Amino acid sequence: MKALIIADGTAPSKELLEKHNDAQLVIAADGGLKITETYGLVPDYLIGDFDSAGEAALMRLDKKTKLVRLAKEKNETDGMIAVDTALKAGAFQIVMLGALGKRTDHAFANLMLLKYAWNKGAALVLEDEYCEVSLATGETRLTGKRGQTVSVLPFGGSATVSSDGALHYPMDSLFMSEGDPVGISNILEGTSSKLEIRGFTLVFKIK
């Protein structure tokens, strides 16, 4: 099952939302409710302490939406609990919009959720108008458009990456450490490239 989470970062466009209208579950994380209201989308769940959404917005909620009210003081982020909600509902594919932009600390925390979801057996993708970010390890097929800019960066430690030659800048057991971003701004020569990754990397596909 595919779940769509809408967070309170930079709002996605209508076109980006429509790209994921095949999601069987829609979750708004607190201020993400403002985005769903703007586009007339009724979420299945609204979660948060509602410091961003506001009580007035809660009064306008559709009866279909399940409300999950969280404590204001907690260790988990709204995004983390949204991912957990999707996982408990049976999602194995999760897309999060509004996860980047605005506060850099929240954006970084949302990037950390890529590994959190992977540890629980799900694939999480963060997407905005400019890029799509996913976590990769092992044998990975990187797909996109010819000439598209892609970046492969280590995550959670060092990584070693090899490519099949379909990238403009070849990777031949390229060692990457978190202090040396050598995998930035590569280019797809075709529509896909096979990667072999030891360790974990973030894969950025620039639009």
Side-chain angles (χ1 to χ4, degrees):
M1 182 176 74
K2 178 178 178 178
L4 177 64
I5 296 173
I6 303 173
D8 190 27
T10 300
S13 65
K14 181 180 179 181
E15 290 73 22
L16 184 54
L17 271 175
E18 289 177 344
K19 175 184 174 182
H20 298 291
N21 61 12
D22 58 337
Q24 292 94 348
L25 183 72
V26 177
I27 301 170
D30 208 332
L33 178 63
K34 290 178 281 188
I35 298 171
T36 61
E37 281 193 318
T38 297
Y39 294 115
L41 182 63
V42 178
D44 297 289
Y45 286 90
L46 171 64
I47 66 169
D49 56 25
F50 311 129
D51 57 342
S52 299
E55 293 296 330
L58 301 186
M59 299 297 292
R60 299 192 297 269
L61 271 182
D62 191 283
K63 292 182 179 179
K64 170 190 171 185
T65 302
K66 297 176 182 177
L67 192 65
V68 181
R69 188 181 290 271
L70 307 176
K72 289 186 178 297
E73 296 184 1
K74 57 188 182 300
N75 292 324
E76 303 84 0
T77 65
D78 292 344
M80 183 177 179
I81 296 173
V83 169
D84 275 333
T85 301
L87 292 170
K88 290 175 183 176
F92 54 86
Q93 180 185 5
I94 306 171
V95 175
M96 185 181 290
L97 307 182
L100 306 171
K102 292 187 178 180
R103 284 183 53 175
T104 306
D105 54 343
H106 278 290
F108 188 77
N110 288 331
L111 287 170
M112 294 172 70
L113 292 176
L114 294 169
K115 183 67 182 301
Y116 179 78
W118 184 90
N119 285 339
K120 292 179 176 288
L124 172 64
V125 174
L126 309 184
E127 188 172 2
D128 65 9
E129 308 302 318
Y130 307 102
C131 73
E132 179 183 311
V133 193
S134 59
L135 185 73
T137 186
E139 184 176 310
T140 300
R141 176 63 63 177
L142 174 57
T143 60
K145 299 175 291 187
R146 184 185 300 273
Q148 186 171 11
T149 298
V150 296
S151 293
V152 181
L153 299 172
F155 189 67
S158 61
T160 303
V161 182
S162 296
S163 66
D164 61 0
L167 293 175
H168 183 72
Y169 302 104
M171 296 179 175
D172 184 13
S173 295
L174 179 64
F175 178 78
M176 301 178 174
S177 68
E178 290 186 305
D180 186 13
V182 294
I184 198 81
S185 296
N186 214 321
I187 301 170
L188 272 173
E189 296 285 8
T191 57
S192 70
S193 176
K194 180 181 175 182
L195 304 179
E196 290 285 350
I197 303 168
R198 293 198 301 274
F200 287 91
T201 65
L202 295 178
V203 175
F204 297 80
K205 293 197 291 186
I206 311 304
K207 297 181 179 180

